[in-house]
Amino acid sequence: MLKTLKNYPVLTICLFVAVMLLPNLDTLQVSIMEARNFISAREMVLNDHWLLTTMNGEPRYQKPPLPTWLSAVSAIIFGVKSVFAMRLPAILMVMAMASYMFFLSRSVLKGSAQSLINALILTTSLYVTLITIEAPWDIFTHGFMLIAIYHLYRLLQAKTVPWKNTILAGVFLGLSLLSKGPIAVYALLLPFLIAYGFAIKYKQMKQKIMPFISIVLIALVVGGWWFLYVRLADPVAFEAITNDEAGKWGSYNTRPIYYYWSFFVQSGIWTIPAFISLLYPYMKGRVNNFKAYKFSFLWTIIAVILLSLVPTKKSRYLMPVLIPLAFNIGFYIDYLFRKFKNMKDSRETLPVYFNFGLIGTIALAAPLAIFYIFKSELQAYWVSFLLFSIVVITIGLAILFQLYRKRIKNVFLLTILFFASLYIFGLPLSKAFRSEEFTSIAQLKKENDLRGLKLYALNYVAPESIWQYGGMLPQINRNDAGYIFPLENKFGILFNAMSPTEKEMITSKYNIRDMGVYNLNQAPKSSKQYNERLLNSFYILTKK
């Protein structure tokens, strides 16, 4: 099987990602980060706001627009209401990123077998797939940067100047900038350049000065023109947003320097192999290509160090580290492929048995645990649950059997298959756990259109609510004298919370009709995932 995969590596990678992620792409609820992006994409299509980007009709220049443009193009093809359409470009980016992990690994290692291993590890690293629904910008900025790094590596290795690689490196570096600014330059490119210098060494650099200058110029043009355009076209809003974002930097979500100490856990099922692959004294004598291992090790560690120096820290900011970490894990998996069959030292075999034995055991136990805890919730989803149970139990048994026979290549492939099965057969079960209090707001716009009623946002309405509503909710602003109400005699308001004083202010001018509460929480109120900001009260106001 592995031989077949090696014959068609890129096709294998793309098909694997497609089968794993596309069937249930619209199953999970849209997150707050996604909602902001999707709203902007919808307004691009419906309101022609392609350059001066907006969210709910207000200027939104906090993030560059490339990921939003891609979502908008997909929405034109599949529909502006389609979550599948909005998420599709991020999944295509996962395919591209995994493919270029293969290309880069093959260039560094001069071979395809471990390169495919690296790509499969990357696509099954937990936060690489989760980031596609939490923050689409990240997958794009780091994906484009990985492509740029591959072409830059080809330039650095060439004895002559490959202008094709030079131009492509500049273009994709620019596209990375146009996706989320210079984040990937700091988190991915700079660690790569430092690691390359220490592990592989720079050679024949004088003749490559012009190509490097060309890369920078191309990147600045491709990645910077939008910022310049907005600065000139809407200077007041651009400056206000820039100042606001600058004020948050260094004071928002600040964490201690050691916050990322457990970064390897972000790789999910590869946590233990990731940790072992980072044991430099252990690994350096067991790899086939020490220079390449030193390069991936330094790239990973330097990326973590640089990110740790930034006061603002979030778990998702570690996503770029998973790229060189996947490369690094590949060395340990390759070592197991070559040596595990004949390993005798229990200090080496026990971590392998524990890691993959645990995965196999989890596969066997998961259906039983889900049934025991959520038996009542599964009543309408027995077919999906039975299918999920049969698949994961079969994979779990196969992992344990192949591990017992010390067929580590098969264990690796079955682990990949287990991870994919969680998305393919596990995600549909998430619908069973939707709270009974969940009330969709998706039909409210259609109902208000029939009423001839315009709806406004008061105080705060969550981006997820605005996205699900399907249209803009103009904000009712206020000044020192109070709210600045619209001119209509009758209109609707949607809000998250209203104080007694604010309600009294409104009732002095309007008759209020309470139309109910929309609750977008799919988790019950007792859950930690329950969020008060997803509650929306709907009132109809009629002028007295």
Side-chain angles (χ1 to χ4, degrees), residues 319-334:
M319 185 262 158
V321 176
L322 297 179
I323 294 173
L325 182 59
F327 201 143
N328 211 62
I329 296 170
F331 285 102
Y332 178 60
I333 299 298
D334 176 69

Side-chain angles (χ1 to χ4, degrees), residues 247-481:
K248 294 178 181 177
W249 187 255
S251 61
Y252 176 68
N253 271 327
T254 57
R255 299 287 190 273
I257 195 168
Y258 55 82
Y259 182 74
Y260 290 144
W261 72 269
S262 59
F263 67 94
F264 49 88
V265 175
Q266 299 283 347
S267 59
I269 59 173
W270 306 113
T271 295
I272 294 174
F275 176 76
I276 295 174
S277 77
L278 293 166
L279 299 177
Y280 185 82
Y282 170 77
M283 287 297 301
K284 67 179 183 178
R286 290 169 170 81
V287 297
N288 274 338
N289 189 328
F290 172 68
K291 183 185 290 188
Y293 170 72
K294 183 179 179 182
F295 163 67
S296 67
F297 174 82
L298 289 174
W299 190 5
T300 304
I301 297 301
I302 293 168
V304 175
I305 292 172
L306 290 179
L307 287 170
S308 298
L309 295 176
V310 179
T312 301
K313 295 180 179 69
K314 292 183 180 180
S315 295
R316 64 182 174 86
Y317 292 172
L318 278 173
M319 185 262 158
V321 176
L322 297 179
I323 294 173
L325 182 59
F327 201 143
N328 211 62
I329 296 170
F331 285 102
Y332 178 60
I333 299 298
D334 176 69
Y335 170 64
L336 294 181
F337 279 16
R338 292 183 285 108
K339 300 295 184 179
F340 185 69
K341 192 77 173 177
N342 300 313
M343 276 185 190
K344 303 298 181 183
D345 191 337
S346 61
R347 291 173 298 178
E348 288 196 288
T349 58
L350 279 178
V352 179
Y353 283 122
F354 177 77
N355 179 73
F356 293 108
L358 179 62
I359 293 172
T361 304
I362 290 172
L364 294 178
L368 298 176
I370 292 172
F371 178 80
Y372 179 77
I373 299 172
F374 303 107
K375 182 178 179 180
S376 59
E377 287 88 346
L378 294 170
Q379 289 180 0
Y381 296 90
W382 284 118
V383 175
S384 296
F385 176 69
L386 287 173
L387 185 59
F388 168 76
S389 300
I390 291 169
V391 170
V392 298
I393 288 174
T394 301
I395 294 173
L397 289 172
I399 288 174
L400 295 177
F401 176 74
Q402 296 296 330
L403 185 60
Y404 173 75
R405 298 296 297 271
K406 302 189 79 169
R407 296 171 179 168
I408 203 66
K409 290 183 180 180
N410 292 341
V411 171
F412 172 77
L413 292 174
L414 286 165
T415 301
I416 297 286
L417 192 60
F418 171 66
F419 184 87
S421 70
L422 297 179
Y423 279 88
I424 300 168
F425 302 103
L427 275 184
L429 293 177
S430 64
K431 298 176 183 177
F433 309 116
R434 180 177 289 180
S435 170
E436 294 180 358
E437 298 175 357
F438 176 84
T439 313
S440 173
I441 199 173
Q443 296 300 314
L444 182 56
K445 186 177 187 301
K446 185 177 181 180
E447 294 168 1
N448 283 340
D449 289 342
L450 292 175
R451 295 186 184 110
L453 190 75
K454 189 168 183 179
L455 187 64
Y456 293 85
L458 184 78
N459 294 342
Y460 173 81
V461 175
E464 298 98 313
S465 301
I466 298 173
W467 160 251
Q468 197 177 106
Y469 178 70
M472 289 194 298
L473 293 177
Q475 182 73 39
I476 294 178
N477 297 314
R478 61 182 304 170
N479 54 26
D480 294 338

